[in-house]
Amino acid sequence: MSGATVESVKLAGMVEDGLGAVERAMLDVTDSEVAVLRDASRHILGAGGKRIRPRLLLLSYLALGGRELERAAKPAAAIELMHTASVVHDDINDHGVLRRGLPSVNALWGRTFALLTGDFLFTAVYELMAPYHDLNIDLAKAATALVEGETLQASAVKNNTFTREAYMRIIALKTAALFRAASTIGAKLASAKETEIHALADFGYKLGLAFQIVDDILDMVADEDSLGKTSGLDILQGRGVATALHDANGNGNSSASDPLASIRQKLMEDDTIERARLEAGQLVDSAIADLALLDDRPPKAALVELARQVVKREN
């Protein structure tokens, strides 16, 4: 086994150990004495998920010389809890009944307790981040952006103004900002130079944009079994990349027995999906170019692979 391969195997083990510490931190901080909050939190956390945001933070930290993964675990857990809180709230707004392959919190506990569980997960972030001083500013900005993005999305759908420009602004706020926070916090924890922090911030931001575009593509083409959540909601509710790039609502036959299938068929017949995939691929290529200043070591290669997987994923 070559030296580079040995180092890559060692890195993979370190990242998995770090993600294990992230899971423990999330379970510890959500161990409420209020049973419904504890049980609902453990339900959504136990359902798994891609954990791409904490992985991004850990890899950014390691790529810039960080070595104490326990120190990075709590901020990574905070990032993931913020994302998880947002999807719990999303399922209330969207009436989603499936999340991560299991019934959503909303489906099992109802709207009121789902809302409170999402709030509880958001407040757990404060406890995790308390010792990290100015890094709270990076995460607070991402939290603000997330809420702004979701609000702009709801407004654009309500007012029938879901243009391509609106879509890109929305996903920049509701998704890319949290990715940028993850890579930025990882870099800052490693005491990186300003140029390195800026490069990792740009990497995370573009990766987040690409991730959301692919997520919206999968909402169009994947079934619920492979997606692990209620599919087709973006199309039916007049949002997502399909609506931004193509008049999805105008192409669906509202009198059809299955309007979602009708819309999807029309989208498959033109180049909407192909154009969206191309844009996601270009964003990932640009993100990878931002890593040029990093040394060619396994952590950089792992970041590149993470970016590539964003556009290759099927769920």
Side-chain angles (χ1 to χ4, degrees):
M1 187 180 293
S2 69
T5 303
V6 170
E7 193 174 351
S8 295
V9 171
K10 182 179 178 181
L11 172 69
M14 291 176 65
V15 172
E16 291 309 309
D17 287 346
L19 289 172
V22 168
E23 296 297 323
R24 291 190 296 274
M26 291 193 295
L27 290 176
D28 287 347
V29 79
T30 56
D31 189 22
S32 175
E33 294 182 0
V34 179
V36 65
L37 293 176
R38 181 187 65 245
D39 294 346
S41 297
R42 289 188 173 178
H43 170 77
I44 186 66
L45 292 173
K50 301 171 189 65
R51 304 297 194 249
I52 187 171
R53 294 160 187 83
R55 188 178 293 271
L56 173 60
L57 190 152
L58 295 177
L59 285 174
S60 299
Y61 175 70
L62 292 168
L64 290 165
R67 288 294 177 266
E68 300 173 34
L69 280 177
E70 286 290 334
R71 182 167 177 257
K74 286 188 176 181
I79 290 278
E80 184 64 14
L81 281 180
M82 186 172 289
H83 164 63
T84 303
S86 74
V87 301
V88 171
H89 282 170
D90 281 349
D91 287 336
I92 299 170
N93 294 333
D94 302 341
H95 308 288
V97 298
L98 188 69
R99 176 66 66 171
R100 298 174 178 173
L102 295 175
S104 67
V105 173
N106 187 46
L108 290 177
W109 280 275
R111 179 185 179 88
T112 297
F113 288 123
L115 178 63
L116 292 168
T117 299
D119 292 344
F120 177 62
L121 294 172
F122 268 120
T123 57
V125 172
Y126 288 98
E127 183 175 341
L128 287 170
M129 289 299 294
Y132 292 88
H133 310 296
D134 286 352
L135 295 183
N136 281 279
I137 297 172
D138 294 290
L139 196 52
K141 288 179 179 178
T144 300
L146 193 160
V147 176
E148 289 175 338
E150 292 289 355
T151 304
L152 285 176
Q153 178 172 273
S155 177
V157 171
K158 180 180 179 180
N159 297 320
N160 196 27
T161 56
F162 207 97
T163 62
R164 185 187 186 285
E165 291 73 23
Y167 173 75
M168 294 305 296
R169 185 183 178 199
I170 287 164
I171 69 172
L173 290 167
K174 79 169 190 174
T175 305
L178 193 55
F179 273 73
R180 178 169 54 195
S183 55
T184 299
I185 289 171
K188 288 184 176 181
L189 280 169
S191 300
K193 300 174 184 175
E194 282 300 319
T195 53
E196 294 170 329
I197 293 169
H198 183 75
L200 266 294
D202 286 349
F203 173 82
Y205 178 74
K206 293 170 187 174
L207 189 62
L209 292 175
F211 181 91
Q212 188 60 58
I213 290 172
V214 172
D215 211 56
D216 292 339
I217 292 170
L218 293 174
D219 181 74
M220 290 187 275
V221 302
D223 58 38
E224 290 187 357
D225 288 340
S226 61
L227 199 57
K229 62 182 179 180
T230 308
S231 66
L233 289 174
D234 286 343
I235 299 174
L236 291 176
Q237 295 179 10
R239 65 188 190 201
V241 71
T243 307
L245 297 180
H246 189 91
D247 183 10
N249 290 322
N251 283 295
N253 182 357
S254 59
S255 63
S257 59
D258 189 345
L260 178 58
S262 176
I263 295 169
R264 279 175 165 161
Q265 179 61 36
K266 185 64 180 178
L267 292 169
M268 294 294 285
E269 289 172 356
D270 63 24
D271 65 347
T272 301
I273 293 171
E274 181 181 348
R275 284 188 290 141
R277 286 195 183 279
L278 178 62
E279 182 154 10
Q282 290 171 339
L283 283 164
V284 163
D285 288 341
S286 181
I288 291 171
D290 289 325
L291 301 179
L293 51 65
L294 298 183
D295 293 336
D296 290 324
R297 295 173 47 249
K300 177 182 177 180
L303 282 170
V304 171
E305 179 59 22
L306 183 67
R308 293 294 186 207
Q309 286 301 318
V310 161
V311 290
K312 292 178 183 177
R313 67 192 180 93
E314 299 296 330
N315 56 40

